Amino acid sequence: MHVLYPAVLSALLFSIGIYGVLARRNAILVLMSVELMLNAVNLNLVAFDVWLADRLGSGQILTLFVIVIAAAEVGIGLAIVLQVFRNRATISVDSLTELAETAETDSAGDRR
Amino acid sequence: MTAAEIVFVLLGVVALAAAVLVVTTRQLVRAALYLVLSFGAIAACFLVLTAELVAWVQVLIYVGAVVVLLLFGIMLTRAPIGPTSDLDSRNRPAAIVVAVATAGVLVTVLVRGFGDAYVDLGEPSTGSASGIGANIFRYWVLPFEILSVLLLAALVGAIVLSRTDIGPPKDGDG
């Protein structure tokens, strides 16, 4: 099998994830897009591991590690999101601008 | 095209379409369910690439645990069940530009760099459970143990973050 098929698929999945992270407003949807990006990386790792026929299986074992870290990340991320929702009653990342650097002129218009 | 390539392309189309639906759908719960479809298709791609154990771990952890956690999050933040109009932020055009640029750069680099690389799926692979297990416990023990500590830290962190009756000390100035 040509190595370009998995590589291009993972590149496209990664850009879809980037679009989701940048364009979505709901924090949970942002987390889902991050998961898509991690999956694209996993696909790349497995494809190149199989291509190189690594005897130590580095790519596939690193994929397993990435999956574990993604599970930990989503657990912590959801705990933070729930805490934000408990304090602010919203999880829209656009309205959480407390730490944003806004110029004095457009700060009123920038907040939603 | 070989049979494996045809199967892989079909699975890839399913994964891509489901991923696009995840980032464009107007219903939160459906986004999580499309995510299941995308992860499932990627797990099948792993199977085509002879990475059996990774495929089953993907099904177990991503489809089984991560998506359920995300659904929990959707329910606990009282998301509306029906379509929501304001799921996309204002920087959507910029996001489209960035995503298309990333895809263009990555695909160009990959096509130029790996245009003549072929995977031999016929030879015996190390992707089975016994092969991966032997490799983990023979060569990758230290990262494995560090990961277990990381998981414990994440567990403790999630508990501390989500419990309301424990917090920063009240008497101090912090």
Side-chain angles (χ1 to χ4, degrees):
Chain A
M1 185 159 82
H2 209 295
V3 87
L4 271 186
Y5 289 108
V8 168
L9 172 61
S10 85
L12 294 179
L13 274 176
F14 190 83
S15 9
I16 291 173
I18 286 185
Y19 168 78
V21 168
L22 292 179
R24 288 304 216 177
R25 179 178 282 172
N26 189 302
I28 293 181
L29 283 172
V30 173
L31 275 179
M32 286 186 198
S33 309
V34 172
E35 297 303 315
L36 274 181
M37 290 164 76
L38 283 169
N39 252 289
V41 173
N42 286 347
L43 191 58
N44 230 343
L45 280 172
V46 169
F48 282 98
D49 176 86
V50 175
W51 176 49
L52 295 170
D54 188 6
R55 219 169 36 79
L56 298 185
S58 328
Q60 297 189 23
I61 288 171
L62 191 58
T63 305
L64 293 178
F65 290 171
V66 169
I67 289 176
V68 171
I69 292 177
E73 170 249 330
V74 93
I76 295 283
L78 277 179
I80 294 174
V81 166
L82 288 184
Q83 200 67 16
V84 167
F85 181 77
R86 202 177 283 157
N87 288 331
R88 302 282 165 87
T90 177
I91 53 168
S92 158
V93 290
D94 278 7
S95 60
L96 300 173
T97 54
E98 198 123 300
L99 295 176
E101 271 186 34
T102 47
E104 290 81 7
T105 50
D106 63 343
S107 67
D110 230 11
R111 298 201 177 173
R112 287 216 165 174
Chain B
M1 273 178 112
T2 60
E5 282 178 343
I6 293 172
V7 172
F8 193 92
V9 167
L10 292 178
L11 289 169
V13 167
V14 171
L16 278 181
V20 168
L21 284 171
V22 168
V23 296
T24 54
T25 181
R26 297 205 167 281
Q27 309 199 19
L28 268 168
V29 182
R30 286 197 188 172
L33 298 180
Y34 286 130
L35 203 64
V36 171
L37 185 58
S38 184
F39 287 165
I42 293 173
C45 288
F46 288 157
L47 271 185
V48 174
L49 287 170
T50 70
E52 297 168 37
L53 185 72
V54 176
W56 298 127
V57 168
Q58 162 103 358
V59 170
L60 280 177
I61 295 191
Y62 267 115
V63 181
V66 169
V67 173
V68 171
L69 260 181
L70 288 169
L71 279 173
F72 260 109
I74 290 174
M75 300 299 170
L76 287 176
T77 51
R78 301 203 191 99
I81 297 296
T84 325
S85 58
D86 60 343
L87 281 181
D88 287 330
S89 72
R90 280 163 301 145
N91 46 18
R92 194 160 168 241
I96 292 178
V97 170
V98 171
V100 169
T102 313
V105 169
L106 284 179
V107 171
T108 312
V109 168
L110 286 169
V111 168
R112 292 186 69 104
F114 300 97
D116 51 354
Y118 285 90
V119 176
D120 186 8
L121 292 179
E123 62 187 41
S125 92
T126 55
S128 62
S130 63
I132 293 273
N135 276 333
I136 281 186
F137 292 106
R138 198 169 289 159
Y139 305 109
W140 303 92
V141 176
L142 185 63
F144 181 81
E145 296 296 334
I146 292 174
L147 260 193
S148 64
V149 176
L150 177 93
L151 268 185
L152 180 67
L155 181 75
V156 174
I159 291 174
V160 170
L161 275 176
S162 47
R163 270 183 65 174
T164 48
D165 52 339
I166 47 178
K170 297 286 190 290
D171 49 354
D173 53 357

